[in-house]
Amino acid sequence: MEQNILKVQKMSNTFPEEMMLKLFEGCSPDIYKKGQMIYRTDEILTDVFWLSEGQAEVYVSTEDGQKQILAFHYPHSIVGEVESLYGHPCGLNCSTTKKSTLRKCNVELFLERIQKFGLMRQYLALLAGKTHSSVVHLANLVLNDCQSRIQAFYNSELTH
């Protein structure tokens, strides 16, 4: 049986640093300790974050403490924008995996600045990229066996 390996593309979730500084102008950097929550599953997010340094993970968890990581955010990533646009409890958790620096901006101000700087098309492309990435991940889970799913992420031949 032929395997359907869908290649996972590295997703860009940022603008150039000089533009990020404009988008988050007036938003002072906050230092988060390793393991500190950025947002929780029951929150209705009204802010967007810029992870300028460090790393964060997005995950779902059960009441007994089991967790499934859905995504990682790396330096210069925009964090929480989809959840803040959603307008309902986000259903996801996000916490830092190491000491991190984040800036927080109200989503309405952030969108206003996106429009002001003529970035709406690029921003929509970022959101579309996230959606596409999620679809590819879901397709890999549904269509492929374990080895094929791993190959899709690591793009290499496995020996074990």
Side-chain angles (χ1 to χ4, degrees):
M1 182 174 163
E2 182 181 323
Q3 295 297 317
N4 297 311
I5 300 175
L6 300 172
K7 300 294 181 193
V8 176
Q9 303 293 319
K10 181 171 171 55
M11 184 178 56
S12 173
N13 192 32
T14 190
F15 293 103
E17 187 171 3
E18 61 275 1
M19 189 53 66
M20 294 296 283
L21 287 168
K22 287 181 179 181
L23 290 170
F24 286 84
E25 184 178 353
C27 305
S28 59
D30 292 318
I31 305 298
Y32 284 64
K33 298 175 186 171
K34 179 181 177 178
Q36 190 170 344
M37 295 301 292
I38 299 170
Y39 57 83
R40 296 180 192 283
T41 187
D42 56 349
E43 282 185 63
I44 297 174
L45 272 181
T46 58
D47 297 306
V48 175
F49 301 86
W50 171 25
L51 176 70
S52 56
E53 295 177 14
Q55 182 176 305
E57 62 185 4
V58 178
Y59 61 94
V60 292
S61 57
T62 61
E63 288 182 18
D64 63 352
Q66 294 181 350
K67 107 176 158 178
Q68 175 63 54
I69 298 171
L70 304 173
F72 286 100
H73 287 287
Y74 299 100
H76 305 293
S77 292
I78 300 170
V79 177
E81 76 282 9
V82 172
E83 293 77 10
S84 65
L85 290 169
Y86 182 52
H88 299 282
C90 59
L92 302 170
N93 296 299
C94 184
S95 65
T96 56
T97 58
K98 59 173 130 179
K99 183 179 174 184
S100 301
T101 305
L102 290 106
R103 294 175 190 243
K104 179 170 69 170
C105 181
N106 176 273
V107 67
E108 296 303 325
L109 178 59
F110 179 78
L111 291 173
E112 199 175 286
R113 289 176 176 177
I114 289 283
Q115 288 180 331
K116 176 182 173 183
F117 299 129
L119 297 171
M120 188 55 76
R121 185 169 176 80
Q122 287 175 274
Y123 183 60
L124 289 173
L126 290 178
L127 295 176
K130 281 188 155 188
T131 301
H132 177 75
S133 178
S134 295
V135 169
V136 170
H137 286 280
L138 182 60
N140 275 316
L141 288 173
V142 171
L143 296 175
N144 297 315
D145 61 17
C146 184
Q147 179 178 341
S148 298
R149 289 192 305 262
I150 293 170
Q151 280 179 303
F153 288 97
Y154 294 105
N155 296 321
S156 64
E157 293 298 317
L158 298 177
T159 58
H160 299 285

